[in-house]
Amino acid sequence: MEAKLKVSEGFEIAKIDKRIYSSFVEHMGRCVYGGIYDPKNSLSNEKGYRKDVIEAINELSVPMIRYPGGNFVSGYRWEDGVGPKNERPRKVDLHWRTVESNQFGTDEFMDWVKEVNAEAMMAVNLGTRGIQEACDLLEYCNLDSDSYWAEKRRAHGRKSAYKVKTWCLGNEMDGPWQTGHKTAYEYARLANETANAMRLLDPAIELVVCGSSNESMPTFGEWEETVLKECYDNVDYISMHQYFDAPTKGTLHHLAKSVRMDKFIDSVVSICDSIKAIKRSDKTMMISFDEWNAWYHSNEHDLEVTPWQEAPNILEDNYTFEDGLLVGLALITLLKHADRVKIACMAQLVNVIAPIFTNEEGLFKQTIFYPYAHASNYGRGTVLQAIIESPTYEVEEFGRVSYLDSVVIENDDNEHLTIFAVNRSLNETMDLSLDFMGYEAYQLESHIEYASTDPVVKNSFSSSIEPVEMKLDANIKQVTIKPLSWNVIRLKK
Ligand code: AHR
């Protein structure tokens, strides 16, 4: 089949905020314990952080990591996780019904995040706690004042404040599963007052207010409206979360699920802009898509897990190749909305629905690792408005879906154009022509291909599908794209 990609110099969507390639570490399962922190393991450094995991994360160039949850945060007492380790209490985590040892807490996270060259995005507990505890944590993290919590941090050996810029006002507070779940109005009032107080303490912070947990929540829409009516002036972002479910209707349907993400973003943008209009505001609300991924492989197993274990193996999805492609398509979708989506966090980073999977002897990279790594490493710059001409297919729920999905980025070095492209077809190769007006001086430089004929093949400790560098003819503005493939095509001036 034939497809065409057209761009024209100067026609841009937006400069990409690098935080669109962020990730998420929650205290749950083996994400923290046995994932990033494993003090008894010889693969760990003197602080107990797994060196092989740090190395793999660095390959992803993750700019920011959300912490400590997730559902976990809504029952968390952050004070339990600071100070001498032998005095830290073992507590139950009500949501995941596990035991939290608190051997890893705020200070360890702030140390560790430096090792992976990322900044922290912190969430405060607005489930079982409120304004005061949020302010205490902010004081502990960000203030250099001569006051109780700032002094505690110094007493714990951290002289300078961490100056965390981005803060989430709770997590999924619309969800009945959330500890301390609230109605939209109850949450809106609490979030607004917490925002007020936190800003008094540190005016330099940015705040994310909770949107809906997903687009099928019965309160979706009304929730955003109520929350934004209260909080619009006091927050910078509204959150979005979305997990792709099992491919019960086949690969072509699974790969169309990024269209769901696209529509969800459009809907939230519309609601934000309607509140902007009602408020006669000059401010445009941005989106923090701070949890997204595929999540379904572990569901059955997780129903049978015995409660009150420490770091049980929950949510350990082993991803298929088609999940990898869907992750690539989700990244393309987020990038196409770079004018409004400023933050996005793949959920999560290690072991728990994650691109990196460890055991005591090492790790392997899941299929979803590669599109994420490519997007984060090559997708820095400005998204161009691209016109896609491609054959389409009809799929239940989504209507006509294009076989080709793609995004074009003019990189910050002003020397490269990077194309991310997925061919959704199960068996047809695509001849992709590039019609790039104003970029006549650019020539094809490289083509990385991630392809498989088997959509359900998985990576493991013993075998992996890995991307390959393709040979190409630099003078031709046409690239051949395999069926079921993720591609990174780069042009150089
Ligand atoms: O990432 C797993 C869970 O999914 C998070 O704890 C929660 O926020 C969401 O429901």
Side-chain angles (χ1 to χ4, degrees):
M1 85 175 80
E2 292 191 350
K4 190 181 266 184
L5 203 50
K6 291 181 177 170
V7 295
S8 207
E9 197 186 1
F11 288 77
E12 299 171 353
I13 293 181
K15 171 106 176 97
I16 299 163
D17 186 323
K18 67 177 180 184
R19 295 175 302 167
I20 208 164
Y21 304 117
S22 299
S23 188
F24 174 36
V25 162
E26 175 166 2
H27 275 256
M28 64 164 298
R30 297 191 307 119
C31 183
V32 171
Y33 305 104
I36 65 177
Y37 180 69
D38 198 357
K40 294 201 179 113
N41 195 309
S42 59
L43 293 171
S44 299
N45 65 16
E46 66 297 343
K47 293 176 180 165
Y49 309 145
R50 279 278 292 257
K51 287 185 284 188
D52 55 339
V53 173
I54 290 174
E55 210 175 291
I57 296 172
N58 281 331
E59 278 179 52
L60 291 169
S61 306
V62 184
M64 185 168 77
I65 302 178
R66 181 168 173 251
Y67 175 85
N71 296 329
F72 171 81
V73 79
S74 298
Y76 184 46
R77 285 175 43 86
W78 68 268
E79 306 87 326
D80 293 340
V82 294
K85 289 196 176 183
N86 58 2
E87 288 171 19
R88 297 189 193 174
R90 292 169 63 77
K91 288 282 182 77
V92 290
D93 163 17
L94 290 180
H95 183 83
W96 299 109
R97 305 187 73 222
T98 55
V99 171
E100 168 59 50
S101 69
N102 281 308
Q103 292 303 293
F104 188 97
T106 305
D107 293 317
E108 288 77 24
F109 180 71
M110 296 308 306
D111 274 353
W112 174 82
V113 93
K114 268 200 226 142
E115 307 232 11
V116 294
N117 301 305
E119 64 174 288
M121 178 190 201
M122 293 290 268
V124 299
N125 174 354
L126 292 187
T128 57
R129 310 188 91 193
I131 303 171
Q132 186 60 59
E133 295 86 353
C135 286
D136 292 347
L137 177 58
L138 179 60
E139 179 189 331
Y140 187 87
C141 289
N142 282 19
L143 264 63
D144 282 314
S145 51
D146 178 11
S147 55
Y148 185 81
W149 287 112
E151 181 47 35
K152 273 268 181 232
R153 186 197 64 243
R154 286 189 288 268
H156 296 155
R158 274 73 179 186
K159 198 162 164 267
S160 321
Y162 299 125
K163 304 282 180 204
V164 177
K165 179 175 157 200
T166 319
W167 292 79
C168 304
L169 296 162
N171 174 68
E172 294 189 349
M173 298 308 302
D174 63 322
W177 58 85
Q178 202 67 214
T179 313
H181 162 234
K182 292 174 176 51
T183 65
Y185 189 64
E186 284 167 347
Y187 171 68
R189 291 286 307 121
L190 177 60
N192 195 44
E193 293 311 317
T194 308
N196 265 328
M198 289 175 79
R199 285 198 189 285
L200 286 174
L201 213 50
D202 184 354
I205 57 173
E206 288 193 340
L207 291 168
V208 183
V209 76
C210 291
S212 294
S213 302
N214 59 68
E215 78 281 19
S216 51
M217 293 300 291
T219 47
F220 170 57
E222 263 177 70
W223 174 276
E224 280 72 7
E225 205 178 71
T226 309
V227 165
L228 288 177
K229 273 188 181 154
E230 283 300 311
C231 303
Y232 200 88
D233 296 335
N234 263 337
V235 299
D236 305 283
Y237 309 88
I238 184 156
S239 76
M240 294 180 68
H241 291 180
Q242 190 172 41
Y243 289 102
F244 303 116
D245 53 3
T248 49
K249 294 177 185 157
T251 300
L252 283 176
H253 184 272
H254 198 46
L255 297 183
K257 287 174 185 165
S258 57
V259 175
R260 214 184 263 161
M261 184 185 227
D262 187 63
K263 288 187 178 158
F264 186 23
I265 297 172
D266 281 344
S267 305
V268 174
V269 165
S270 302
I271 298 167
C272 292
D273 291 349
S274 106
I275 305 296
K276 175 179 178 177
I278 291 167
K279 288 193 171 276
R280 281 91 169 148
S281 174
D282 288 333
K283 167 175 163 182
T284 301
M285 188 59 56
M286 296 299 169
I287 289 171
S288 170
F289 211 123
D290 45 43
E291 285 186 37
W292 69 270
N293 202 348
W295 172 12
Y296 59 90
H297 295 278
S298 55
N299 292 354
E300 256 174 61
H301 164 271
D302 291 349
L303 290 174
E304 281 158 24
V305 173
T306 316
W308 317 126
Q309 297 182 67
E310 224 178 296
N313 61 340
I314 51 173
L315 276 70
E316 297 202 352
D317 280 35
N318 186 192
Y319 289 108
T320 57
F321 186 75
E322 63 187 359
D323 296 327
L325 291 184
L326 181 54
V327 157
L329 288 159
L331 286 159
I332 288 173
T333 306
L334 292 165
L335 286 165
K336 283 183 184 172
H337 289 279
D339 54 334
R340 299 302 286 268
V341 179
K342 298 295 168 187
I343 299 170
C345 306
M346 178 191 262
Q348 298 185 8
L349 189 51
V350 186
N351 292 331
V352 172
I353 45 172
I356 298 165
F357 196 92
T358 68
N359 65 13
E360 288 183 357
E361 280 103 49
L363 62 80
F364 75 87
K365 295 169 187 162
Q366 300 239 34
T367 56
I368 61 171
F369 182 95
Y370 297 100
Y372 181 19
H374 293 154
S376 178
N377 284 301
Y378 299 116
R380 309 283 172 119
T382 300
V383 183
L384 300 180
Q385 287 198 19
I387 294 172
I388 295 173
E389 288 176 8
S390 157
T392 58
Y393 62 97
E394 183 72 25
V395 62
E396 194 190 314
E397 180 189 338
F398 305 111
R400 294 218 70 81
V401 173
S402 170
Y403 280 111
L404 171 69
D405 205 359
S406 184
V407 70
V408 184
I409 292 155
E410 185 167 358
N411 291 119
D412 284 331
D413 64 4
N414 289 320
E415 288 216 329
H416 283 93
L417 290 177
T418 298
I419 304 164
F420 299 126
V422 171
N423 179 1
R424 288 181 169 112
S425 170
L426 302 180
N427 38 37
E428 275 200 67
T429 299
M430 184 180 275
D431 288 325
L432 175 65
S433 348
L434 310 178
D435 183 353
F436 285 9
M437 266 176 57
Y439 296 102
E440 287 74 17
Y442 284 70
Q443 295 209 323
L444 283 173
E445 184 192 50
S446 60
H447 177 187
I448 303 170
E449 179 191 82
Y450 194 42
S452 169
T453 48
D454 180 359
V456 293
V457 67
K458 296 174 173 188
N459 289 355
S460 68
F461 285 104
S462 53
S463 75
S464 278
I465 310 264
E466 284 179 17
V468 286
E469 188 78 49
M470 306 299 284
K471 287 216 174 82
L472 40 78
D473 182 342
N475 296 315
I476 293 177
K477 292 280 164 71
Q478 183 166 315
V479 191
T480 304
I481 292 186
K482 288 214 182 105
L484 291 181
S485 67
W486 155 265
N487 303 270
V488 184
I489 300 152
R490 304 199 80 205
L491 289 88
K492 190 171 187 304
K493 212 191 290 190

